Amino acid sequence: MHSATFIDNIKLIIVKDKNKGGELVASLIQHFLKYKKKSVFGLATGETMIPIYANLKKLYRKRRINFSYVKTFNLDEYIGLNINDKESLRRFMDTNFFDYVNIRKVNIGFLDGKAKDSKKECKKYEKKIEGAGGIDLQILGIGRDGHIGFNEPGSSIKSKTRKVKLSATTKKDNKSFFKLSKVPDYALTIGISNILQAKQIVLIAFGKNKSKAINLAINGKISNKIPASFLRKHPNVTLVLDKSAASQLLKNNK
Ligand code: F6R
């Protein structure tokens, strides 16, 4: 079992490593589905999410979880890419998760990075989330620059779903997902205000390179310099960290 502590109203769970973290978040989702079969999940892509989706697939293989009534909405997509592109975030979700579980394709919500009118696309996406009853549980990773979704430093707490320019740090960190082409300069992302509307939020971080952003998000000033700091305005946030990602936070909360 993992013990939980609180820093103000944020629940903190520290796990041994990312594999334990993946198990924990997958079982959290499993329990969530026991109480609400028709849950609406907000999902993220990236390195951090791989052990989580791996553990969800494992639970599905053992028939211990059922996604047939679940709806999902991912946070973001690169401009210029969509389901047809190998390096799209949508393809990441298919190859790491969706293709292996019984989620219905019609229940998968995704921003279309190839939409001709990105403003219209963003409005449509927000309406779709609203129409599904809003996000019950939002899963988040965090960038080294403190971003959540692709809400880079400078994003306001009121920001909505929109087109954004990716920071140099974010592009560097996502390079490994782009074998042939370069990381796109722009993306569509749901905004901070949309994220804060989720009923419950779980933010996950593994590894030493996330420890500074985590510490600033929890102990620093609430400001658009570290967009994840806005999560402290939400009443139901759980942080799942491995020991390395928690290292600076623990030093400052002794
Ligand atoms: C991905 C997303 C991003 C990532 C963050 C961490 O959909 O919205 O905020 O969660 O960049 O990425 P990793 O896990 O690759 O370190």
Side-chain angles (χ1 to χ4, degrees):
M1 270 318 277
H2 309 275
S3 55
T5 47
F6 279 85
I7 301 180
D8 297 326
N9 61 336
I10 296 200
K11 188 173 174 182
L12 170 66
I13 304 176
I14 298 178
V15 293
K16 194 172 125 233
D17 54 33
K18 61 181 177 185
N19 296 320
K20 288 282 170 218
E23 264 175 37
L24 176 85
V25 177
S27 75
L28 222 137
I29 291 173
Q30 184 190 25
H31 283 287
F32 209 94
L33 281 174
K34 272 200 184 129
Y35 294 102
K36 193 175 180 197
K37 273 201 290 200
K38 294 187 178 178
S39 289
V40 181
F41 294 133
L43 298 179
T45 55
E47 206 62 49
T48 314
M49 300 301 141
I50 291 175
I52 291 146
Y53 297 134
N55 278 283
L56 285 172
K57 286 190 292 190
K58 223 187 262 174
L59 287 174
Y60 177 71
R61 276 200 304 274
K62 293 181 185 161
R63 297 291 180 261
R64 283 163 55 191
I65 196 163
N66 179 12
F67 296 98
S68 51
Y69 305 101
V70 167
K71 287 190 179 165
T72 64
F73 290 94
N74 266 77
L75 287 162
D76 35 30
E77 180 59 280
Y78 292 113
I79 294 263
L81 305 185
N82 68 9
I83 192 165
N84 302 316
D85 298 285
K86 229 178 43 254
E87 288 154 333
S88 67
L89 298 181
R90 171 57 202 261
R91 192 65 86 81
F92 174 97
M93 289 304 298
D94 283 350
T95 53
N96 283 286
F97 183 47
F98 294 148
D99 284 352
Y100 298 89
V101 296
N102 65 335
I103 183 154
R104 299 179 61 209
K105 293 273 180 230
V106 289
N107 287 339
I108 297 172
F110 233 95
L111 283 157
D112 180 2
K114 276 192 173 141
K116 288 211 174 69
D117 184 338
S118 53
K119 272 202 182 131
K120 224 177 177 176
E121 172 64 13
C122 292
K123 276 261 155 339
K124 196 171 95 187
Y125 200 57
E126 286 185 343
K127 281 255 144 31
K128 209 171 162 193
I129 296 176
E130 242 176 73
I135 306 283
D136 293 308
L137 176 65
Q138 176 67 58
I139 304 292
L140 292 176
I142 183 171
R144 279 192 300 138
D145 59 3
H147 72 225
I148 45 175
F150 277 142
N151 294 283
E152 300 284 24
S155 300
S156 124
I157 191 167
K158 292 188 182 146
S159 56
K160 309 265 283 174
T161 308
R162 68 203 187 286
K163 177 179 169 179
V164 290
K165 191 170 180 2
L166 298 174
S167 74
T169 314
T170 299
K171 286 204 284 183
K172 194 169 152 215
D173 289 348
N174 285 287
K175 238 182 169 160
S176 62
F177 292 108
F178 287 80
K179 298 282 177 291
L180 299 169
S181 49
K182 72 176 190 76
V183 185
D185 292 324
Y186 295 92
L188 297 179
T189 183
I190 74 165
I192 307 275
S193 74
N194 308 103
I195 291 174
L196 292 178
Q197 273 166 28
K199 293 171 192 100
Q200 195 175 329
I201 298 174
V202 177
L203 175 75
I204 305 145
F206 303 134
K208 188 122 187 99
N209 66 344
K210 299 291 173 74
S211 63
K212 188 173 171 205
I214 287 290
N215 182 44
L216 287 172
I218 305 303
N219 285 322
K221 248 175 75 184
I222 299 182
S223 102
N224 63 11
K225 291 201 174 104
I226 300 287
S229 67
F230 290 129
L231 295 175
R232 279 147 66 195
K233 299 265 186 193
H234 190 281
N236 194 345
V237 176
T238 303
L239 266 186
V240 177
L241 308 175
D242 69 356
K243 285 181 186 150
S244 319
S247 54
Q248 284 202 28
L249 185 65
L250 295 181
K251 228 186 279 165
N252 287 320
N253 284 284
K254 267 186 184 158

